[in-house]
């Protein structure tokens, strides 16, 4: 089982979401940390960065052998813009 860490930016993103989406995102990460399964793909052009799709939302994170570090949660259409690219570079 991998440890889940949510950066302040991801927590801020989650506060702006409806509670049902927060629950779905947390459940998806819990399953990912325990079993390694989920709708996960590497983000092209970003070494070591991945995205987890949860309905209409995308959560971006880095992953090591023991930690999943979540840094961005946005609607699908917003998750691939300039703002996301800058946040991903900082990760």
């Amino acid at each position: 089982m991998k440890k889940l860490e949510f950066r302040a930016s991801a927590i801020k993103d989650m506060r702006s979401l409806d509670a049902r989406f927060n629950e779905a995102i947390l459940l998806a990460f819990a399953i990912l940390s325990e079993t390694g399964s989920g709708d996960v793909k590497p983000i092209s052009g970003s070494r070591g960065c991945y995205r987890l799709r949860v309905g209409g939302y995308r959560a971006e994170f880095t992953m090591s052998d023991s930690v999943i570090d979540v840094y961005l949660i946005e609607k699908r259409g917003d998750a691939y813009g300039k703002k996301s690219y800058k946040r991903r570079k900082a990760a």
Side-chain angles (χ1 to χ4, degrees), residues 18-81:
D18 188 82
R20 65 183 176 180
F21 295 118
N22 282 336
E23 290 176 18
I25 290 167
L26 291 174
L27 178 62
F29 272 111
I31 292 169
L32 178 65
S33 74
E34 287 187 25
T35 66
S37 64
D39 189 353
V40 175
K41 290 187 179 179
I43 297 173
S44 61
S46 297
R47 186 186 326 164
C49 294
Y50 301 88
R51 69 99 176 122
L52 172 65
R53 191 184 92 185
V54 183
Y57 287 87
R58 301 295 180 267
E60 295 183 11
F61 61 96
T62 59
M63 186 167 41
S64 69
D65 291 336
S66 60
V67 177
I68 297 173
D69 183 19
V70 184
Y71 60 88
L72 175 71
I73 300 169
E74 290 187 320
K75 285 187 178 179
R76 179 179 172 260
D78 299 334
Y80 303 107

